[in-house]
Amino acid sequence: MNLTEKDKEIIKKCLDEEKTIPSIYKQKLFKADNTEFVEATKDYKLIYKGKARKEDIIANTPAAPLQKIRSFNSDNQFEDNWSNMLVFGDNLLALKAIYEDQQGPNVYKTKNKIKLIYIDPPFATKQDFMKDREKAYRDKIIGAQFIEFLRKRLIILREILADDGSIYVHLDQKKGHYIKTILDEVFGEHNFRNEIKWQKLRSVKSQSGFFSNLTDSIFFYTKSESNFYQPQFAPRDLRLLETHYRHTDPKSGLRYNLDNFTQSGQGEAKYFGDRLLEPPSGKHWIWSQERINQGLQEGLIVFSESGKPYVKRFFNPDDGQRIGDLWNDINPVNQVAKERVDYPTQKPEQLLKRVIESSSQVGDIVLDCFHGSGTSLVVAEKLKRKWIGIDAGKLSTYTAQARLLLMNDIVGSEKKDETREYERITDLRNHSKSNSRGLFLVYEKARSGDLNITDIFLENLAQFISNNLSGKREEEFSLACPEEKFKVKKLLVSENENNGEAKAGEKIVTVGKVKFLVSFIQPKEKTEKPLPLIAKEFTLYHAGIYDNQL
């Protein structure tokens, strides 16, 4: 039985209290080939020709001893004498060698230390993938052979994964559903966490005669319930201020929206002040009575005209937006990306950054036994994780080795702020809602001196506007420019005291009957400059492909 101490405590407590043992423990308590149990629980499995028993795979897979070839960056060692491992050879044989080492001497110091596994195996495409007329790898294993090829590796990967570890398996739409069933068998359906959809393409192919495939699947499993997980957040989009956060708190001046006060489920009535309110059918109030009382005192709860409660959700750009299972904010490696190494199927560093930061901590071991161009190894290095990379391709080994020796400290390509000027006017929407007669926008590329907003410029613009407007009443006109181009010296410039209440303009300049509402275009975010990064010591091993002289 593969039970942790926590598992045993939970099962013992259930037995002592005469409660039903949770179904998640069935695969830990009963062997997978226990046909009586399988029949009783109506379990299911994927059957195909050539499928071997798990016990036979572990027993009969030969181990290829890891032959040390050379070490790199030996002057930059880990304090605990660990050396990252780059293994060239058949990953099944190499994994079995690590498995046997964990069962015995633990020379490589990996027992219960491999916290995260990410693999991006071949997708059974029947293709040869080339780089500069040289074959990068052959993806020729198809059908049941492909399923069993991957299943054998998944079985041993589970054995060497730490008890609180996680695994991410990256696949496409052709074989993903088969491997999902295999993963359920190997890791347990109760340990399935997510099918992550990564949008790998930005646009649909116009020549396609069917719905174009835009996404890959990444299946996320854990070995147990005690895994490490760190939620990930995307930067808040400032445009949400205009589209979703339309209210302004009079005390703090912060923008907020009104969110639903209920969730699905069954709940009881609660007091909102002196009113006892029942939640709608099939719903419950999101807060406890104590939290409701506190929220009323803090002004966090407001009521509609019909008396329905809503909660204020304030906009804080530093909070970020929590990431779900749809990853459509990470672009593939394009033709001009600085991280591109011209290796087929290269994955972006930002994709691996999200995986590694989600399911590992600094100092943990990350393993990738189909490392390809070495993206997972490079990102693990940059994020201060230890790593093991295995691949049977000579080109992939050379490519990963070169990337590790020529690294910088930026994950992914340098990010340039490509937002246009109008996207960086925080109150642009308010200008359109005001009584403004128009908007004059100064672009950043306008040369200094050619188009500065000066006293004379505003006087001439005011005269032009006045000549083309009927009536004598004061009129508003919007103007937006970079702050450094605002050069008004003599005219009276006043602060817009109502700007905190979502009124247009940060500054006000009145010229005759024209009131200019002036907003500043925020500067672009500065691009981080990459700095050279020396990788920690790593050692090249051969597995099954040996140098006889050594």
Side-chain angles (χ1 to χ4, degrees):
M1 295 183 193
N2 189 20
L3 295 175
T4 64
E5 291 302 318
K6 183 180 178 181
D7 292 336
K8 294 174 183 177
E9 289 177 10
I10 293 173
I11 294 171
K12 184 178 183 301
K13 185 178 179 182
C14 290
L15 294 173
D16 290 342
E17 297 177 359
E18 297 183 352
K19 292 182 178 179
T20 303
I21 297 174
S23 60
I24 60 172
Y25 295 107
K26 65 182 181 181
Q27 294 194 14
K28 294 187 176 185
L29 292 167
F30 300 93
K31 292 183 178 180
D33 59 349
N34 187 326
T35 55
E36 183 178 345
F37 176 76
V38 169
E39 178 63 27
T41 57
K42 294 183 172 60
D43 210 344
Y44 54 89
K45 60 177 66 177
L46 185 64
I47 303 298
Y48 52 86
K49 184 178 180 181
K51 185 175 183 179
R53 293 193 321 142
K54 169 187 170 181
E55 294 79 6
D56 293 338
I57 291 171
I58 294 175
N60 298 333
T61 299
L66 304 185
Q67 182 183 42
K68 182 176 178 180
I69 303 301
R70 63 167 297 189
S71 291
F72 300 85
N73 295 350
S74 296
D75 55 347
N76 191 24
Q77 296 180 346
F78 287 91
E79 292 182 359
D80 60 358
N81 294 321
W82 165 268
S83 177
N84 289 324
M85 302 172 67
L86 183 64
V87 183
F88 171 47
D90 187 314
N91 57 12
L92 182 62
L93 308 184
L95 291 171
K96 182 61 183 300
I98 293 173
Y99 167 81
E100 290 193 351
D101 179 62
Q102 287 187 0
Q103 307 307 304
N106 196 30
V107 172
Y108 302 117
K109 305 173 186 174
T110 66
K111 186 173 182 178
N112 212 32
K113 296 293 185 181
I114 299 172
K115 303 291 187 176
L116 171 63
I117 295 170
Y118 168 87
I119 59 172
D120 179 17
F123 291 174
T125 61
K126 308 179 186 178
Q127 297 180 35
D128 286 335
F129 287 87
M130 312 297 289
K131 178 187 183 296
D132 300 331
R133 298 184 180 181
E134 184 175 349
K135 189 178 294 183
Y137 68 90
R138 170 173 288 184
D139 185 7
K140 294 291 188 180
I141 304 174
I142 60 173
Q145 283 183 302
F146 171 79
I147 296 171
E148 186 67 358
F149 163 85
L150 194 51
R151 176 173 169 265
K152 288 179 178 180
R153 287 149 179 83
L154 289 169
I155 285 171
I156 298 182
L157 283 170
R158 185 192 178 281
E159 295 300 312
I160 66 174
L161 182 64
D163 291 338
D164 56 351
S166 304
I167 183 170
Y168 291 74
V169 181
H170 192 142
L171 295 160
D172 69 357
Q173 83 281 14
K174 295 184 181 70
K175 286 290 185 287
H177 51 299
Y178 294 113
I179 303 305
K180 168 69 168 67
T181 307
I182 294 299
L183 285 163
D184 285 344
E185 290 181 20
V186 174
F187 286 88
E189 188 174 357
H190 57 281
N191 285 323
F192 169 68
R193 299 292 172 247
N194 287 106
E195 179 183 357
I196 297 161
K197 286 292 186 180
W198 172 52
Q199 187 174 341
K200 61 184 177 180
L201 297 177
R202 300 292 106 181
S203 59
V204 175
K205 296 178 181 178
S206 58
Q207 71 273 23
S208 178
F210 44 84
F211 296 111
S212 294
N213 172 234
L214 301 179
T215 63
D216 279 352
S217 290
I218 304 175
F219 295 105
F220 169 28
Y221 283 76
T222 60
K223 192 170 180 179
S224 69
E225 291 184 318
S226 59
N227 65 292
F228 169 81
Y229 173 71
Q230 179 65 46
Q232 299 297 297
F233 296 86
R236 285 269 187 172
D237 188 345
L238 291 177
R239 288 172 292 186
L240 290 173
L241 273 172
E242 304 301 327
T243 58
H244 290 72
Y245 294 81
R246 300 177 182 178
H247 307 281
T248 302
D249 184 67
K251 292 183 179 179
S252 65
L254 297 175
R255 300 281 283 277
Y256 68 89
N257 65 8
L258 296 177
D259 201 1
N260 202 332
F261 211 87
T262 60
Q263 289 178 340
S264 296
Q266 297 299 321
E268 58 186 15
K270 291 178 181 175
Y271 280 98
F272 289 78
D274 57 356
R275 289 184 295 171
L276 182 64
L277 297 181
E278 290 276 357
S281 177
K283 302 283 187 179
H284 69 88
W285 301 121
I286 59 173
W287 287 354
S288 67
Q289 184 64 67
E290 182 182 0
R291 184 72 181 93
I292 290 172
N293 297 341
Q294 182 182 352
L296 288 169
Q297 289 180 356
E298 296 173 353
L300 299 179
I301 302 173
V302 297
F303 298 89
S304 67
E305 292 181 1
S306 63
K308 184 178 180 180
Y310 288 90
V311 60
K312 290 181 180 180
R313 301 292 188 192
F314 289 93
F315 182 89
N316 186 344
D318 296 329
D319 286 347
Q321 184 69 39
R322 186 160 174 155
I323 300 295
D325 60 4
L326 175 60
W327 295 1
N328 56 5
D329 60 330
I330 299 175
N331 293 323
V333 180
N334 60 44
Q335 296 289 335
V336 296
K338 291 191 176 181
E339 65 182 283
R340 185 180 179 88
V341 294
D342 286 328
Y343 188 95
T345 71
Q346 179 186 350
K347 298 302 183 292
E349 290 187 12
Q350 286 292 339
L351 181 70
L352 271 298
K353 178 178 186 287
R354 183 167 293 171
V355 170
I356 291 171
E357 289 187 333
S358 297
S359 294
S360 71
Q361 301 179 75
V362 171
D364 287 345
I365 299 176
V366 177
L367 183 146
D368 184 350
C369 61
F370 295 93
H371 71 65
S373 67
T375 300
S376 57
L377 316 183
V378 168
V379 177
E381 185 74 42
K382 293 180 180 182
L383 297 178
K384 297 182 175 13
R385 272 65 166 174
K386 299 172 181 177
W387 52 263
I388 300 171
I390 308 172
D391 205 291
K394 186 177 291 186
L395 180 62
S396 67
T397 303
Y398 288 153
T399 302
Q401 186 175 294
R403 289 180 73 181
L404 289 162
L405 294 172
L406 299 171
M407 281 197 307
N408 62 53
D409 63 342
I410 299 292
V411 177
S413 302
E414 299 170 49
K415 283 191 173 182
K416 292 184 178 180
D417 189 344
E418 302 293 347
T419 55
R420 299 295 304 272
E421 285 87 348
Y422 67 87
E423 294 177 296
R424 286 179 274 117
I425 304 172
T426 56
D427 59 350
L428 180 62
R429 183 183 179 87
N430 297 328
H431 283 282
S432 66
K433 293 193 297 184
S434 69
N435 295 320
S436 176
R437 291 294 187 175
L439 171 68
F440 190 92
L441 189 150
V442 179
Y443 284 94
E444 291 163 316
K445 290 186 178 179
R447 288 181 295 176
S448 180
D450 288 352
L451 195 52
N452 284 334
I453 305 304
T454 63
D455 298 83
I456 295 175
F457 178 87
L458 289 184
E459 289 170 351
N460 290 337
L461 182 56
Q463 185 64 48
F464 174 81
I465 294 169
S466 299
N467 292 340
N468 289 276
L469 290 175
S470 60
K472 297 182 179 181
R473 64 178 183 147
E474 185 178 77
E475 299 286 354
E476 294 179 352
F477 193 89
S478 297
L479 190 150
C481 66
E483 190 168 5
E484 66 270 14
K485 294 186 183 295
F486 188 71
K487 304 288 187 180
V488 176
K489 304 294 185 184
K490 297 178 181 179
L491 294 170
L492 179 63
V493 180
S494 59
E495 300 288 335
N496 187 352
E497 296 179 357
N498 294 320
N499 188 249
E501 297 180 16
K503 300 294 184 181
E506 300 172 47
K507 308 279 186 183
I508 295 177
V509 183
T510 302
V511 184
K513 68 174 185 177
V514 180
K515 179 192 284 187
F516 290 104
L517 308 176
V518 184
S519 293
F520 294 130
I521 300 168
Q522 300 302 312
K524 289 185 175 183
E525 294 184 5
K526 292 183 179 180
T527 302
E528 294 181 78
K529 291 186 178 180
L531 299 173
L533 179 66
I534 299 174
K536 286 288 190 179
E537 181 187 48
F538 66 96
T539 301
L540 174 65
Y541 296 89
H542 284 183
I545 307 168
Y546 300 116
D547 184 329
N548 291 329
Q549 290 183 348
L550 293 176

